[in-house]
Amino acid sequence: MGKFEQVLVLEVESAKDKSKETEGGKYRRDSPWLVEAFAKKGVRSSIVFLRNGDTAESLVKANPATAFLGRVNPMDYSEIRLEEYVAMLNGLKDAGVLLGPDAEHMDRLGSKMILYELRDTAMGIDGVLLHRFPDLQRNDGEIDSIIPVGSPPRVLKMLRGSTGLGVWKLENSSGGKVLLTDAYTQTTDEIPRDDVIPRFLALCQEDAISMPFLPLIKDGEFRFLMSRHEVLEVVHKRPVDESAFTATLRSGAVYTTIDLVEHRDMVDAVVQWSYDIKSTLGLADVPYWWSVDCIEEEVGDGGLKPGRIPSGNPGRRLVLSEINCSCLGLVADTSAEAKAKGMRFADMIADIVLKD
């Protein structure tokens, strides 16, 4: 990475993710931390806004000896459409000047389809099913695959969404009805079985997955914050109460940092898993900054099966819940210590991506 004299951090001016803590409230909260971190490594850095007509070729031509780091939530903007942003990332990668994010990571790891693709790996779980959009549209018995009559609760998930959007817990009820708990709104409705899919398709027009409901969500999730294959922090996200179906800040969950040394076996197992999935998925690398969210499952009388990942809590293992890698913030909390933590993460990320 010594061939680069500067790193440009890419943002979109019209995005709604700006922080009043930054100069003029113009930037993402963490972008200035990354700029400062690169400067500490002796590399000039600044934030630039993408404009209409920007391409990988134009950026490279205007900025020789420069590497690029995208900090843009993947969606359409007035300045640049999502497909144009993806093409730009691919072009920068082909030119050898992209630090991240990799568009392939955003597409594959950032989709809940990953739960289906990795169902047979160390953090997978039996019973993850893929539901194709045409089958959902027909609504001819597909609900019986999503949640068979008489089965334990299951979860239906759209492939993209955050803070619980498009994540539904489904429980069989009496009289041909289903209890539907929405992780986003934290509300529960009882509706006819045949109404579940039409209501779901009113929210999203795409494939979906379903999987067993993991009751230990009541005890929370573990979030592994990683840069490439290095775990920088583990956070335990505990729901506001045992009846909650999600562990997001939006739902009032409490976040607690876990000691990495105390839970070294769990951390080391997740690191090994991060190497293993490269082979499973045929990826050249893993993201420069990503989070791996896991829910616990009881291991049962037979004990932990070979290859499974132990939780930090005895008698439990980790099951993959979600991967975030499109434009993950460096810190989620707003505490007085957040900036110091964010700068520490930015320094670590700069070290890792500049030595790649």
Side-chain angles (χ1 to χ4, degrees):
M1 201 57 74
K3 62 182 178 180
F4 296 120
E5 297 174 3
Q6 74 168 341
V7 173
L8 293 183
V9 178
L10 306 177
E11 287 204 31
V12 171
E13 190 170 15
S14 66
K16 305 302 182 185
D17 55 0
K18 309 307 181 187
S19 170
K20 62 183 180 181
E21 297 177 17
T22 62
E23 180 186 354
K26 297 187 296 183
Y27 307 116
R28 287 176 55 93
R29 185 186 188 198
D30 46 28
S31 291
W33 303 341
L34 290 162
V35 166
E36 185 176 337
F38 287 122
K40 287 183 195 175
K41 313 304 174 189
V43 179
R44 289 184 290 110
S45 185
S46 60
I47 303 167
V48 298
F49 291 126
L50 295 173
R51 305 295 185 191
N52 284 308
D54 279 343
T55 64
E57 293 76 12
S58 67
L59 289 175
V60 171
K61 183 177 180 179
N63 302 280
T66 297
F68 299 86
L69 184 72
R71 298 298 290 162
V72 177
N73 277 310
M75 59 185 291
D76 287 331
Y77 299 94
S78 58
E79 299 95 328
I80 187 168
R81 300 194 312 275
L82 175 57
E83 63 185 48
E84 293 171 331
Y85 180 58
V86 168
M88 175 183 293
L89 293 177
N90 286 331
L92 293 173
K93 179 182 177 181
D94 291 343
V97 295
L98 180 69
L99 301 183
D102 189 313
E104 183 181 21
H105 296 159
M106 290 165 49
D107 180 52
R108 297 192 63 193
L109 298 178
S111 165
K112 293 185 180 66
M113 178 71 81
I114 198 65
L115 303 179
Y116 180 75
E117 289 195 76
L118 296 178
R119 65 194 184 281
D120 296 325
T121 63
M123 280 202 283
I125 187 172
D126 294 337
V128 180
L129 302 177
L130 173 62
H131 306 280
R132 294 295 187 186
F133 180 54
D135 296 327
L136 293 170
Q137 279 186 306
R138 280 193 294 272
N139 197 19
D140 184 17
E142 192 67 16
I143 186 63
D144 296 325
S145 296
I146 295 171
I147 179 165
V149 174
S151 79
R154 287 178 59 82
V155 179
L156 180 63
K157 298 184 177 186
M158 70 181 191
L159 299 186
R160 298 193 182 274
S162 60
T163 63
L165 182 64
V167 178
W168 293 358
K169 176 186 176 185
L170 304 175
E171 301 177 76
N172 281 300
S173 187
S174 59
K177 293 188 176 182
V178 169
L179 288 175
L180 187 163
T181 302
D182 188 321
Y184 185 73
T185 62
Q186 292 292 298
T187 58
T188 300
D189 294 323
E190 186 178 54
I191 66 173
R193 288 177 62 84
D194 289 343
D195 289 354
V196 172
I197 292 177
R199 182 183 290 199
F200 187 78
L201 292 182
L203 182 65
C204 67
Q205 299 282 304
E206 62 179 6
D207 296 345
I209 65 159
S210 66
M211 63 184 291
F213 171 69
L214 297 171
L216 290 182
I217 183 63
K218 68 181 178 62
D219 292 338
E221 288 184 304
F222 287 99
R223 166 165 286 188
F224 296 82
L225 291 166
M226 305 181 68
S227 183
R228 299 288 190 237
H229 297 288
E230 184 173 343
V231 175
L232 304 191
E233 183 175 83
V234 180
V235 176
H236 183 255
K237 308 187 296 179
R238 180 174 290 277
V240 63
D241 59 57
E242 290 195 356
S243 66
F245 170 45
T246 186
T248 63
L249 285 174
R250 185 178 183 275
S251 66
V254 177
Y255 283 33
T256 304
T257 302
I258 301 298
D259 188 285
L260 297 183
V261 175
E262 182 181 344
H263 297 279
R264 177 51 57 191
D265 288 347
M266 178 177 71
V267 171
D268 287 347
V270 171
V271 169
Q272 182 57 53
W273 172 86
S274 75
Y275 282 99
D276 293 342
I277 66 168
K278 286 203 304 185
S279 174
T280 301
L281 300 173
L283 298 175
D285 207 344
V286 290
Y288 80 97
W289 180 240
W290 57 314
S291 69
V292 178
D293 290 355
C294 306
I295 302 172
E296 294 177 299
E297 181 188 42
E298 299 283 1
V299 299
D301 295 337
L304 189 70
K305 295 180 181 178
R308 298 296 195 184
I309 295 183
S311 167
N313 297 313
R316 298 180 176 185
R317 75 165 183 116
L318 299 183
V319 175
L320 181 64
S321 171
E322 183 176 33
I323 293 174
N324 296 285
C325 64
S326 296
C327 195
L328 180 69
L330 298 195
V331 292
D333 63 287
T334 57
S335 67
E337 299 79 21
K339 181 177 180 180
K341 181 192 292 186
M343 274 305 313
R344 179 165 59 88
F345 288 163
D347 286 341
M348 293 178 175
I349 290 169
D351 274 334
I352 290 170
V353 298
L354 288 176
K355 73 181 180 184
D356 280 358

